[in-house]
Amino acid sequence: MVKINGNELDVSGKTIAQYLSETNYSTARIAVERNGEIVPKSQYDAVVLEDSDTVEIVSFVGGG
Amino acid sequence: MVLGQEQAQRYARHFVLKEIGVSGQKKLLQSGVLVIGAGALGSAAIIYLAAAGVGTIGIADYDKVEISNLQRQVIHKTGRTGMKKTVSAELSVKELNPDINVRLHNEKITPDNITDIIAMYDFVIDCTDRFETKFLINDACVLAKKPYSHAGVVRFEGQAITYVPKKGPCLRCLLGSVPPPQETMTCSQAGVLGAVTGIVGSVQALEAVKYLIGAGDLLTGRVFTIDGLSMVSKVTAIPHSDPDCAVCGNAPSILSLNNNREEYEVKSCSF
Ligand SMILES: [Zn+2]
C-alpha cells in the first residue's frame, strides 16, 4: 500500500504518471513529494510507487 | 527610536504579546515590506501590514480600480473607480495608520525593474494573479536572496508558502515551470470569493510580520492550503528543495532574469 495524502491506496507498481492519469490532478499545477523529497515533473514517468511509500500531492492555483 | 503616546496606545495589544513587545514593534516600524499586486490578496496583506505598523510599505501595481474588483479587493472603495490602485491603496493605508511611509511603484513589474525594486525592502509579498509573474517574483527573490511570500487563490481554494534562502523549496522547486495557460484559470475565468482571498492574504501578512520579528515557524518547507468549501486547511511539509531546481538548485540554468525573459511573459488571458 502507498500512503497518498494520508490515504492508504493500492497503487504500488504504478508510476507517478500512471497514478496521476487516473486522478483529476492538473499535473502542471501540482507538487509531488515522495518519502520527503520533491519528485521533479521530468521524473513522473520514471518513478515507480513502492509499498510503504509516503506521497504528498499539493495543488497550486494562480489567481490573486 | 522612541515611541510616541499615540503609538503606545495604537500598538498596546502588540506590547502584551511576548513575541512582539516594544522591541518587536520598533523592529516592525523600522522594516520595509513590498506588496506586488494591490488586488484581492494585496488588499488583506497591505491593510494588516499597515495596521501592524510595518514602517514602510511598498505597493506595486499598474491597474486602475474597477467596480468588478470591489467584491474582493476591499482596500478599494466604490468612489475610487478609475483611480490607480496604488493611489487608492495608499489612501486606505493612511486612513488606517498615518504613521506608515507608503512608497508607490506605479509600473508593471518586469525582469528589468524588479531587482532594483525588491532591493529596497526586507521582505516581499507576491499578491499577483498570474503564474508568469509569480515565477518572475520567485526567480528574482531567489537570485537576490530575498525572502518572500508566495500565494495564489481561485474559487474557494488557495495556497501559500514562504521562501527564505537555504530554508526550503522555492516555487520553482515545487512546480518546475510556469503552468501552460490551458492548465490555469485566473480569477475572472474561474471566479473567486473575497473571503478566501482575505484568509490567504492575511496569512501572507502574518508571515511577513513573523519574519520581521523572528517569531514562530514560517511556511518555509511547508505549503499551507485551504479549501473554503470543505473548510479543510492543511500544512504539508515539503522540507527539501529540489537539488535540480533551475533557479535555486546545485547547477542552476537560470542565472539572470534576462536569460529567462520569455517564461515571464503573460500567456494566460487577462484578469
Ligand atoms: Zn528552487
Side-chain angles (χ1 to χ4, degrees), chain B residues 8-22 24-25 28 48-54 209:
Chain B
Q9 290 174 355
R10 180 182 290 273
Y11 304 118
R13 297 297 185 282
H14 284 172
F15 299 160
V16 293
L17 294 172
K18 70 176 186 346
E19 292 80 1
I20 303 183
V22 175
Q25 190 61 52
L28 292 177
Y48 278 114
L49 293 175
V54 170
V209 168

Side-chain angles (χ1 to χ4, degrees), chain A residues 3-64:
Chain A
K3 194 182 233 180
I4 300 183
N5 290 359
N7 301 312
E8 298 276 355
L9 299 177
D10 184 14
V11 293
S12 49
K14 290 183 181 176
T15 65
I16 288 177
Q18 282 168 336
Y19 170 71
L20 290 172
S21 71
E22 295 163 9
T23 68
N24 290 323
Y25 285 113
S26 159
T27 52
R29 291 195 293 103
I30 57 172
V32 176
E33 181 198 50
R34 174 174 170 255
N35 301 334
E37 305 293 337
I38 292 169
V39 182
K41 293 201 167 21
S42 59
Q43 301 294 305
Y44 287 2
D45 278 323
V47 173
V48 178
L49 296 167
E50 291 171 22
D51 263 338
S52 76
D53 274 358
T54 299
V55 175
E56 294 288 343
I57 303 173
V58 187
S59 285
F60 284 67
V61 291

Side-chain angles (χ1 to χ4, degrees), chain B residues 170 172-173 245 247-248:
Chain B
C170 76
R172 194 177 283 284
C173 290
C245 175
V247 69
C248 81

